[in-house]
Amino acid sequence: MSTPVLKDFIRGPKNTAKGMAERTMREMSTWESDGASGIFLDEHDQPLVAYFARRRAGPSPKLSRFAYNYYIPGPKAPSSMGRSPDDLDRAAQEGETVYFDGIKDSVLAKTAVATQTLLHHIDVHKSPRDGRHDKEDHLLQYVKVDSTKGSEDLREDGICRSFIYAGAEYVYEDRTFASERTGTRHLVHAWPDQGSDPTVRGLHPSADMVSNASGALHVQAYFDDTQELAILLGEMFRVSFPAFYTKYEAAFLAGRWTVTDPGPLLGRVLVWKLQVMPHQDGLDAGPSIIFNMGKFTGGECYITDLKLKLSYRPGDVIILMGGALYHGIGPWKPLPGITEDGITPGRVSNVWFFPHSSFQVLENKEPGWALKSAGGLRGTGSELDSSDWDSESD
């Protein structure tokens, strides 16, 4: 494999090599996964991927930085470097200090509740044009009771919920199992209508941010409940991609819709219990942050352009050049049982990003510009004049 250079990935066409990425994922399915924190660089020491997971104690508190000619991917590469999940488990069992650089359990649990509560109220949807997720993956079925814990289903006996379609009855819930709709929601502070010129039509919050009065209140509550998480992820972003952090933070402050989001990324995608196929993030030109939560098995992250397979457990954080690098998630299955907080099984993934089309408009704008200028459709400050008002009204 040739030595990777970030600019070559960026210049390449988007989502034109999915077949090759899918083949690479299948070839790597039997490889060990890497479970240790690190920052992976191209040949010019530009960051490609930052992984915040577990880390064995060492002389430096910082994440290891791996030049590509040092970290050579392969089926047994993680264990050869003491970086496999088994290596880390064994080190902890033998009394060695193992740090966790990801999202701590209390913050992740609060985020899970905030996310499920939000999507309970605004629901999810699935676009037929979505090329990132399995198009047939409309419902997730899970076992409601974890039999290994000896718990009992507290709901009434004989429960059965079903619907009739084309003359056939489909059962989606009984005493032992339930089904959930799968899909996504896009929470973006400011972006243009698809296919429109933002210099003409302006920027606006995504429809999912302000779908209706009730939904907007629940979105605001979600941002309130995830402030601690956002501050933590922002610091990870600053450490691993400092140049992008500086310019994204300024552009975020110009485009921010709700002040309870500290930034610096303008958008969040909530991916509710979908399988994730290999893809590039077509709207991104810079790094995106991804993390997951929930009860499931499987779900390793494959960055096929780099032949990198990461363990990617709940709470682990990956920051990557997602618009340039093909990445996908291995198959996963929900574990049984609903938590005491009412969190249902399955894998929930989160993608925090900055749309490139929005950045092009927001770059070099003053803080609060999008709100003051109605997304660029009216002047700001001294630019306002009487033409903005109806002088005949009383």
Side-chain angles (χ1 to χ4, degrees):
M1 182 178 177
S2 58
T3 302
V5 180
L6 177 58
K7 65 181 181 180
D8 293 338
F9 289 122
I10 293 175
R11 291 171 180 168
K14 300 282 188 181
N15 287 300
T16 59
K18 288 184 178 180
M20 181 181 298
E22 289 172 352
R23 289 192 297 273
T24 302
M25 277 186 64
R26 288 194 295 269
E27 293 169 2
M28 295 174 63
S29 64
T30 59
W31 287 23
E32 293 176 345
S33 60
D34 193 311
S37 300
I39 299 178
F40 302 87
L41 312 171
D42 74 358
E43 68 170 7
H44 301 302
D45 287 338
Q46 294 297 308
L48 297 169
V49 178
Y51 184 37
F52 295 82
R54 292 187 291 170
R55 172 170 49 89
R56 299 169 76 166
S60 171
K62 297 182 179 179
L63 273 65
S64 300
R65 296 174 65 86
F66 294 107
Y68 198 74
N69 60 1
Y70 175 70
Y71 188 100
I72 306 300
K76 299 292 184 181
S79 60
S80 70
M81 303 176 68
R83 295 175 54 84
S84 73
D86 287 344
D87 291 323
L88 294 163
D89 289 342
R90 187 162 47 250
Q93 291 166 3
E94 294 174 354
E96 184 177 341
T97 300
V98 176
Y99 297 107
F100 180 57
D101 296 315
I103 304 167
K104 61 184 180 181
D105 290 344
S106 60
V107 175
L108 195 66
K110 185 177 181 180
T111 303
V113 172
T115 303
Q116 182 166 305
T117 301
L118 172 65
L119 297 182
H120 169 76
H121 289 285
I122 70 172
D123 205 357
V124 294
H125 63 85
K126 191 173 182 187
S127 170
R129 297 173 297 176
D130 184 357
R132 297 175 174 86
H133 309 111
D134 185 347
K135 289 183 170 58
E136 304 301 319
D137 189 17
H138 294 286
L139 287 176
L140 171 74
Q141 187 177 104
Y142 62 85
V143 177
K144 294 193 288 187
V145 180
D146 186 353
S147 60
T148 63
K149 296 184 178 180
S151 56
E152 296 182 0
D153 188 355
L154 300 179
R155 302 188 67 170
E156 66 271 19
D157 292 338
I159 184 173
C160 182
R161 293 189 173 95
S162 64
F163 62 90
I164 304 297
Y165 179 75
E169 181 180 20
Y170 294 84
V171 177
Y172 64 89
E173 182 177 12
D174 67 13
R175 187 175 185 274
T176 60
F177 81 92
S179 303
E180 288 184 10
R181 184 180 178 183
T182 62
T184 63
R185 280 294 181 184
H186 293 72
L187 306 179
V188 186
H189 291 264
W191 66 358
D193 289 321
Q194 187 172 9
S196 70
D197 183 350
T199 62
V200 176
R201 301 293 297 276
L203 303 177
H204 55 77
S206 63
D208 292 343
M209 287 276 275
V210 292
S211 56
N212 56 56
S214 175
L217 292 175
H218 289 293
V219 168
Q220 178 70 25
Y222 162 81
F223 277 104
D224 287 344
D225 290 339
T226 56
Q227 282 191 70
E228 184 179 2
L229 170 70
I231 292 170
L232 173 64
L233 295 181
E235 183 62 15
M236 293 179 183
F237 189 91
R238 185 191 66 80
V239 168
S240 51
F241 287 86
F244 276 102
Y245 178 89
T246 299
K247 65 180 185 179
Y248 276 3
E249 182 185 36
F252 171 82
L253 293 175
R256 179 166 59 176
W257 171 257
T258 173
V259 296
T260 55
D261 183 0
L265 295 177
L266 201 66
R268 306 182 188 185
V269 186
L270 309 179
V271 183
W272 187 254
K273 303 183 181 182
L274 287 166
Q275 303 288 343
V276 182
M277 316 299 287
H279 64 280
Q280 293 169 306
D281 297 324
L283 299 178
D284 305 356
S288 54
I289 302 174
I290 61 175
F291 65 95
N292 69 82
M293 50 199 180
K295 293 176 59 178
F296 61 91
T297 60
E300 297 86 357
C301 180
Y302 294 79
I303 304 172
T304 58
D305 287 319
L306 305 181
K307 295 288 186 72
L308 188 60
K309 180 180 178 181
L310 302 176
S311 179
Y312 199 29
R313 306 187 311 173
D316 291 357
V317 176
I318 300 173
I319 308 179
L320 78 163
M321 298 296 295
L325 299 171
Y326 270 97
H327 55 287
I329 304 301
W332 60 267
K333 294 181 180 180
L335 290 171
I338 300 173
T339 71
E340 293 180 357
D341 291 330
I343 301 300
T344 56
R347 183 182 182 278
V348 181
S349 51
N350 299 261
V351 183
W352 294 20
F353 69 109
F354 207 118
H356 184 57
S357 57
S358 301
F359 179 77
Q360 289 179 307
V361 175
L362 296 171
E363 188 178 17
N364 298 322
K365 296 294 194 300
E366 64 177 330
W369 175 85
L371 286 174
K372 296 174 184 176
S373 70
L377 297 181
R378 59 178 294 176
T380 61
S382 61
E383 297 174 14
L384 290 174
D385 58 34
S386 59
S387 63
D388 291 313
W389 307 90
D390 182 2
S391 59
E392 300 297 322
S393 58
D394 53 19

